Amino acid sequence: MTIQRARAIWSGLRFFLIKTWRRWRWSVLRTCNGRRFQTVVLACGSGDRSYRNDLGRRVTVWGCNFAYRNSPQMDRIYAMDHIAEWLERSPGWTDNVNDLGIPVVMQKHFSEVPKSTPLNLAGLRRFPGTRDYYINTICYMIADAIREGFGTIVIHRILARVGSIEYMEQKACLDFWAGVAHGLGIELLTSEDSLIGHPYPWQSNLYGYVIQDNWPISAQLLSHGVIDACRVPVKFHIADEVYGQRSATD
Amino acid sequence: MASAAPLTEPLGRLTAVKWLIWSARRLLTGNRFRTVVLVGRLGGDLPETDETWGCNFAYRTHKGLDRLYAMDPPEDFHKAGESWWFAEADTLGIPVVMQYPVGGIRQSCGFDRDGLRKTLGLNVHHQGSVAYMLADAIREGFGTIVLHRMLERGLSEEYYEQKDCLDMLAALAAGLGIRVLTTGNSLIARPHPWQSEHYGYETHPRSAQATRMITETVRDIVTDRGDPGAGRLPQDGL
């Protein structure tokens, strides 16, 4: 039992030392490179360019996938789907992003997009250092904004529509990354219509205190939906980049 | 030119002063070096710990709890024919955190709803009693929080509705430097069972079908839910 206790203490101490070192290093770096005083707007819709003036600070705008259509002044594009999917589904996309002449963060460098750069997955694993949990492109963007040390992250018009097929099941993951950012003291702003950090529209803010007459119905409907979803056979084919970068850090 | 949508702070704002006070307090109280294990009804061996908190009926599975949380309205226990719970909770002789102190339980006390907001400037929503426990553990500044066998079953009726809240609170704790541990099968801070944890890198041709199913269900709920203000305010006035 004593050995077990000693192991537990050592494990805790090791965690504390590693975390403290990485956090201190991150904090110093972001202050030195000025990112702490900068704002990044993560967008996939329209209107985000106005923040350049409204926020009154140095603002960087990152967009995902087709965001450049609405905001031509993007500083960086994130497109985490494989290039084969882009070529198959949207053949003109590569030409469009190439014309922009801005960095395009992708899984790795693809010759079809000369300005494409690989996402620093190994860096994300070091800091913020949470487990791999990225279920859409926005999650990678938030994690990267945290890693780069921005003082303010604006999530613009993401998760704004309850019935959207794109983002509803991704809410938990977006909330997760919002929580990480907030815990690190990063100012997190969302557009008013966003559901990030809010309960689902049919839920109350405070379970128990506010009595929901219809709670069992929504819970049962959802759980049946989940059961149906789990019945769909899903097999993952993992890209080499994930394990390649993992072995590089571990 | 499109205008910018108004911005809000959905989670509030963690200021440096609040963080410093919180950090100093957890050092002074010693909680910084302590571990709390949060348990539910599911059994299993617990890790060595300083404190164990349980919710609702957890005391039946786990002996020696240090605190019990029961955040459902006390009337609901009566309605469900579980009035005996009050007598059992009273005999435990440990603090029982509820919405407000209840006469039948001598050590019952009210949950501090404003605790996280006052301490860390956070506006978080709470879904389920576990979320309240987790929020309290963060507020009290424990060094390690173990979520024991929480959110293990994706097919549970409570799973989908509570996952976003628990994910957010766990992430918040991690961001604050608290070590958060979960048991092996827990889906906290993990994707839904049909999703990949590396979007894009891992191809999953059929998960789109699962996504469509969930979305259809959500649309049904939103369409059928009727009056959006169907919730009734509690008697102590929120």
Side-chain angles (χ1 to χ4, degrees):
Chain A
M1 194 58 92
T2 315
I3 294 171
Q4 272 186 351
R5 182 74 182 158
R7 275 187 187 153
I9 290 170
W10 166 242
S11 167
L13 187 65
R14 188 169 169 271
F15 173 85
F16 169 74
L17 292 173
I18 292 172
K19 279 277 176 187
T20 306
W21 161 246
R22 286 183 178 164
R23 186 166 298 214
W24 179 83
R25 188 171 172 272
W26 173 77
S27 194
V28 169
L29 277 175
R30 70 196 284 247
T31 306
C32 291
N33 64 23
R35 285 272 160 73
R36 186 183 208 120
F37 313 104
Q38 291 183 24
T39 300
V40 62
V41 179
L42 311 182
C44 62
S46 60
D48 33 82
R49 56 189 155 162
S50 320
Y51 290 128
R52 282 191 194 277
N53 301 322
D54 292 355
L55 291 173
R57 280 177 282 188
R58 283 205 289 168
V59 177
T60 304
V61 181
W62 295 354
C64 77
N65 302 336
F66 293 100
Y68 61 86
R69 288 178 177 170
N70 302 308
S71 304
Q73 297 171 358
M74 292 270 163
D75 299 291
R76 195 186 290 179
I77 293 272
Y78 281 74
M80 297 310 298
D81 291 295
H82 196 273
I83 191 70
E85 289 193 38
W86 285 111
L87 293 173
E88 186 187 327
R89 288 185 314 193
S90 315
W93 181 82
T94 49
D95 293 335
N96 292 338
V97 293
N98 287 338
D99 289 345
L100 295 172
I102 56 173
V104 182
V105 179
M106 301 185 78
Q107 291 178 22
K108 57 183 174 184
H109 175 75
F110 294 108
S111 57
E112 292 87 345
V113 185
K115 287 241 172 190
S116 62
T117 54
L119 176 83
N120 189 351
L121 198 54
L124 295 184
R125 284 178 179 142
R126 274 196 299 274
F127 198 90
T130 52
R131 62 170 62 138
D132 287 356
Y133 184 22
Y134 311 101
I135 59 167
N136 64 11
T137 306
I138 308 291
C139 297
Y140 289 112
M141 292 165 74
I142 300 174
D144 222 14
I146 294 170
R147 183 184 64 80
E148 294 198 12
F150 283 94
T152 304
I153 298 175
V154 179
I155 303 177
H156 176 77
R157 304 217 64 195
I158 288 165
L159 214 71
R161 288 191 303 151
V162 177
S164 160
I165 199 165
E166 186 72 19
Y167 286 110
M168 199 59 209
E169 64 164 6
Q170 298 170 1
K171 176 168 159 45
C173 190
L174 287 167
D175 279 349
F176 175 85
W177 284 106
V180 173
H182 199 81
L184 286 164
I186 294 170
E187 187 183 7
L188 185 93
L189 303 170
T190 63
S191 49
E192 265 183 351
D193 50 8
S194 176
L195 287 163
I196 293 172
H198 294 285
Y200 290 116
W202 56 89
Q203 287 177 322
S204 73
N205 262 328
L206 291 166
Y207 167 86
Y209 288 93
V210 180
I211 301 149
Q212 286 173 271
D213 291 336
N214 56 359
W215 177 80
I217 302 168
S218 58
Q220 280 164 14
L221 276 171
L222 264 175
S223 59
H224 284 121
V226 172
I227 290 167
D228 285 345
C230 286
R231 284 195 186 122
V232 178
V234 176
K235 187 179 178 185
F236 296 113
H237 306 278
I238 302 167
D240 292 339
E241 286 74 20
V242 176
Y243 287 137
Q245 290 198 29
R246 183 176 286 166
S247 59
T249 51
D250 293 344
Chain B
M1 182 171 166
S3 62
L7 296 177
T8 59
E9 291 177 318
L11 302 179
R13 185 180 293 189
L14 171 64
T15 60
V17 173
K18 283 190 169 149
W19 181 82
L20 275 172
I21 293 171
W22 174 78
S23 294
R25 189 175 289 156
R26 68 197 287 242
L27 273 175
L28 293 172
T29 56
N31 280 349
R32 172 71 189 78
F33 310 103
R34 302 178 76 217
T35 299
V36 61
V37 178
L38 311 184
V39 297
R41 199 188 288 215
L42 294 177
D45 292 337
L46 295 183
E48 203 166 314
T49 182
D50 300 300
E51 282 202 31
T52 310
W53 299 352
C55 68
N56 300 329
F57 298 93
Y59 62 87
R60 295 191 144 197
T61 322
H62 300 281
K63 304 294 173 203
L65 293 183
D66 298 291
R67 200 185 292 182
L68 189 68
Y69 282 75
M71 298 307 296
D72 288 295
E75 310 85 71
D76 281 10
F77 286 94
H78 296 299
K79 283 182 199 163
E82 291 161 343
S83 304
W84 44 264
W85 179 86
F86 293 92
E88 287 192 1
D90 187 43
T91 54
L92 293 173
I94 57 173
V96 180
V97 182
M98 303 181 75
Q99 289 183 21
Y100 48 84
V102 172
I105 305 173
R106 278 163 293 179
Q107 292 218 46
S108 68
C109 54
F111 178 79
D112 185 3
R113 282 198 307 252
D114 275 344
L116 262 188
R117 193 175 55 76
K118 281 187 290 197
T119 314
L120 288 166
L122 300 174
N123 284 324
V124 290
H125 63 98
H126 295 82
Q127 308 301 335
S129 296
V130 179
Y132 288 103
M133 284 201 290
L134 188 47
D136 256 2
I138 293 170
R139 183 176 59 81
E140 295 185 23
F142 280 88
T144 305
I145 299 173
V146 182
L147 295 157
H148 183 261
R149 303 201 67 187
M150 300 290 182
L151 222 63
E152 272 198 353
R153 292 187 308 148
L155 307 184
S156 153
E157 209 166 84
E158 294 178 327
Y159 164 71
Y160 198 92
E161 293 220 309
Q162 296 185 1
K163 178 165 167 51
D164 60 328
C165 177
L166 291 177
D167 274 3
M168 185 177 63
L169 284 167
L172 200 59
L176 285 163
I178 295 170
R179 189 181 197 191
V180 182
L181 301 173
T182 59
T183 39
N185 296 331
S186 174
L187 287 160
I188 292 173
R190 289 223 167 88
H192 295 300
W194 59 92
Q195 289 176 321
S196 153
E197 58 191 18
H198 304 100
Y199 172 82
Y201 290 92
E202 293 168 306
T203 54
H204 41 92
R206 279 177 170 165
S207 69
Q209 197 179 331
T211 304
R212 273 194 293 276
M213 286 176 175
I214 286 291
T215 309
E216 285 305 318
T217 310
V218 169
R219 284 176 183 162
D220 285 346
I221 293 170
V222 176
T223 313
D224 295 343
R225 73 194 170 108
D227 176 18
R232 299 198 308 273
L233 286 177
Q235 60 277 30
D236 57 342
L238 190 65

